[in-house]
Structures are given as structure tokens and as C-alpha cells.
Amino acid sequence: MSTADLPKILVVDDVRANLVGMRRLLAPVKAEIYEAHSGNEALALCLDHRFALILLDVQMPDMDGFEVASLLNNDPDTCDIPIVFVTAAYHDDINRLKGYTFGAVDYIAKPINDAVLLSKVTVFLDLHISKLRLKGALEELEKRNRQLEIEIEERRRVEKQIRHMATHDALTGLGNRILFVEHLTRARAQAQRHGREFALLYIDIDGFKQVNDRHGHGAGDKLLCAIANRLRGNLRQEDFAVRLSGDEFAVIMVDLTDGDAAHAQGQRLCEMLREPYIVSYNDQAYTVSVGASIGIALYPRHSTDENELIRLADTAMYEVKQQGKDGVRLAVARAAVQSA
């Protein structure tokens, strides 16, 4: 163990001969010995050093051992340093209690028995080393805990990112088919629980292929992003839009009071998507126009089955296309078709 690693002991006595004697007695101890000739000098040394033990003479002029112990005990930086009083007086219980009150942890009587001194000093040094090891272990544990927290947070971030990538369309940022199915299932459960309606809107962009063919796929991608942004900006906060594939989108409208609200929203979306777009690509700007064919299926009016709702909304959307495109159509339930 290097000198820098040795524990430090402070011996406080106003008599130089006592300090010399104490140094001789402590020679076998693996510690760095510091000496103070007065209480003030002891306090000054405590500002610059962290002591494992203080051997403090009680009877000193100007400031006795009780005062020094009291000041050290009341200072947060030194209150945990064990103080052993070294004295030829105060052997009675009352004065011993007084010493303990001022912060002493033990007494050594003069004349000093070297075996007793070494035994007590060794115990306190072992305790100091154990405390340092425990402190080091706790600090290492705290450091490891912080590292684990960082690793857990990073793992959560990565998992969240992976989850987002798996459930969102990379081009437009809208939800993809996986997230669409999840939201559809959730909307059905909530509607069933609260006795409400929800609507599924299937949207196919009319004229998108012509834009793609005329201006290239890059311009087509820009157009799809612009369409997605318009959808985001024209839905209620509780509604949900996805890109299913290519130029097909879907919207789930929840907590509806009646189906007319869904039909009216479909018409608004048609008008909004019909407005011209300015698409910039390869340092060129194009003004393009497209339309939207929208089919709507309502829960529970048209069906209570998720797959059937999808089929009905998709069928209604294709019926709009067959009848001239750029419009909205409510689905017709299968039972209604059969009865007709």
C-alpha cells in the first residue's frame, strides 16, 4: 500500500513529549500519522485532510478536547470521524458521559497501555477501511445502476423506433396496414363497449398513375406525402389515417353520433384532396390535380365484423370508381342486398 493509500490518524496534544511517545507507540500501525499541538491546529488540519481516527487530549490550554470534539461533531464534513479521548483525568462515569455527548467514541487512559492503544486503533482503522470499501462498492453499484438505466432507456428508444418503423409507412409517416388492423380492432371494442358507431373510410386516389407516368416516381412520392399531410390536417384529433398501399389510404372515424357525419366527412375529404398540388422534384415544380374515390362502412349498421367492414368499404369505393370516380358512397350490407 502506497503512502497515498494509507489511512490518516491525527494525534492532538499540547505536550511535545506526548506526541513523540504516541508516534513511537503507533509505529507498528499501517497509517500516516499527523500531529497537532493545539485545538486550533487540529481544526485546521481537518480542513485539509480526511482522517480515519483522531486521538485527542482532553486537557489543553485555550481550547480543550471537549470543545474541539464539539466543533468537529457539529461540522457535516467531520462529524463521522471517530474521536478517542486520551486523558489522565475524568475517569468517572459523569465525565465519560460528557465526553460521549461531545462526540467521543472511546477513551484511552494515561499512562497509555500500548497493547490497549494498538488494539483500539486497529479496530477503528479496520472499521475505516471497511467503510471505504463499502462506499466504493456503493459508488460502483450506483454507477452500474446509472449505466443500466441508460442501457434500458436506449433499449426502449430502439424498441420504440423499431416498433414505429414496423407500424408506419416509411414514405408518408402515416400508419401502415399493421397499425390499421390494431386501430380497427380497438375502435370496434370501444364502440361495442360504449354503444357508439364508428366509420371506416376506404380512399383510392384517382389519377395518381398518370402523375407517376408523366412526372416520374419521385414526383409521385412527393404527391403521396402531400396527400398524407392533407389527410392529417383535415381529420379530428381522435380519428386515424393510414396508407394501406400504393395510392390507397384509409381513415377510421370513432365516436360517431350517426352515419351522416361520416358521409359528410368523406365529401369534405374529396373536396380537399381535389385541390391542386404543387410538387417540386429535381429542381422542377409541377402543378398536378387528382381526385379521390371513397367508400364508407359503418359499425354496427353495416356489419359488426372487422373483415366484413373492410370488404364493404372496399366494395363501395370500387363502385364509386365504376360510376365515374371522385365521389363518396356508403356501403350496403350484404343482408340488404339479398333482401333487395
Side-chain angles (χ1 to χ4, degrees):
M1 184 182 292
S2 65
T3 304
D5 296 328
L6 288 175
K8 298 176 181 180
I9 297 176
L10 175 61
V11 181
V12 187
D13 200 306
D14 63 307
V15 179
R16 185 172 298 276
N18 291 340
L19 293 174
V20 173
M22 187 66 79
R23 179 175 287 276
R24 180 182 59 79
L25 292 173
L26 294 174
V29 176
K30 292 182 179 179
E32 192 174 356
I33 309 301
Y34 288 76
E35 297 173 354
H37 300 83
S38 67
N40 284 322
E41 188 178 347
L43 294 175
L45 284 171
C46 287
L47 294 175
D48 300 326
H49 301 278
R50 183 65 180 173
F51 293 106
L53 176 65
I54 297 176
L55 299 172
L56 179 59
D57 184 29
V58 175
Q59 294 175 301
M60 294 186 297
D62 299 327
M63 183 185 299
D64 64 19
F66 292 129
E67 293 178 84
V68 175
S70 178
L71 290 170
L72 293 173
N73 192 50
N74 289 323
D75 188 333
D77 293 330
T78 57
C79 63
D80 60 342
I81 302 175
I83 299 173
V84 175
F85 279 153
V86 181
T87 180
Y90 308 122
H91 292 290
D92 58 279
D93 290 340
I94 293 178
N95 281 289
R96 283 181 177 272
L97 181 59
K98 179 182 177 182
Y100 294 137
T101 302
F102 280 106
V105 295
D106 206 347
Y107 272 86
I108 293 178
K110 294 180 181 179
I112 297 173
N113 182 309
D114 56 349
V116 172
L117 173 68
L118 292 176
S119 175
K120 292 190 175 185
V121 168
T122 300
V123 168
F124 284 113
L125 291 183
D126 288 345
L127 178 61
H128 173 74
I129 292 171
S130 297
K131 286 170 63 178
L132 290 180
R133 288 174 178 169
L134 178 60
K135 181 181 178 183
L138 291 174
E139 289 176 349
E140 181 63 29
L141 180 60
E142 184 179 355
K143 179 182 177 182
R144 182 56 183 156
N145 283 339
R146 287 197 298 269
Q147 290 174 341
L148 285 174
E149 288 173 0
I150 293 172
E151 290 173 7
I152 291 171
E153 185 61 31
E154 177 65 14
R155 184 175 299 174
R156 286 174 178 167
R157 186 193 66 78
V158 171
E159 289 174 352
K160 184 177 179 180
Q161 184 178 8
I162 292 173
R163 162 71 180 170
H164 186 274
M165 292 171 62
T167 57
H168 286 76
D169 175 48
L171 177 64
T172 65
L174 293 178
N176 62 14
R177 189 174 291 274
I178 294 174
L179 204 57
F180 166 69
V181 172
E182 291 181 5
H183 275 261
L184 186 61
T185 301
R186 188 178 303 124
R188 178 182 177 277
Q190 291 176 348
Q192 186 178 37
R193 183 164 55 250
H194 300 294
R196 305 296 295 272
E197 283 190 299
F198 78 86
L200 173 59
L201 286 68
Y202 248 53
I203 305 170
D204 187 83
I205 304 302
D206 303 320
F208 175 76
K209 184 176 183 302
Q210 288 85 340
V211 174
N212 231 6
D213 292 344
R214 179 177 299 177
H215 303 295
H217 291 288
D221 287 346
K222 294 285 187 179
L223 175 58
L224 288 172
C225 291
I227 291 170
N229 288 333
R230 284 195 186 178
L231 282 175
R232 285 192 193 94
N234 288 272
L235 295 178
R236 300 175 305 167
Q237 185 175 0
E238 60 267 31
D239 296 338
F240 180 71
V242 299
R243 180 189 177 203
L244 295 174
S245 63
D247 59 353
E248 285 194 356
F249 298 81
V251 171
I252 299 173
M253 295 182 63
V254 297
D255 292 333
L256 296 179
T257 54
D258 58 70
D260 292 340
H263 190 272
Q265 174 70 318
Q267 290 179 323
R268 284 192 294 270
L269 292 179
C270 263
E271 294 170 4
M272 173 269 298
L273 294 173
R274 192 184 300 133
E275 293 293 324
Y277 299 82
I278 298 177
V279 177
S280 298
Y281 183 69
N282 281 345
D283 298 325
Q284 294 187 38
Y286 309 100
T287 299
V288 299
S289 295
V290 294
S293 297
I294 301 178
I296 303 174
L298 301 173
Y299 173 97
R301 184 188 306 182
H302 295 133
S303 179
T304 58
D305 180 77
E306 297 166 29
N307 291 327
E308 181 66 6
L309 284 173
I310 293 173
R311 188 193 68 78
L312 290 171
D314 188 50
T315 299
M317 180 265 291
Y318 275 106
E319 288 174 352
V320 174
K321 283 190 168 296
Q322 291 170 359
Q323 295 174 6
K325 304 180 180 181
D326 195 22
V328 182
R329 181 179 177 86
L330 279 175
V332 179
R334 181 177 295 176
V337 173
Q338 291 174 347
S339 62

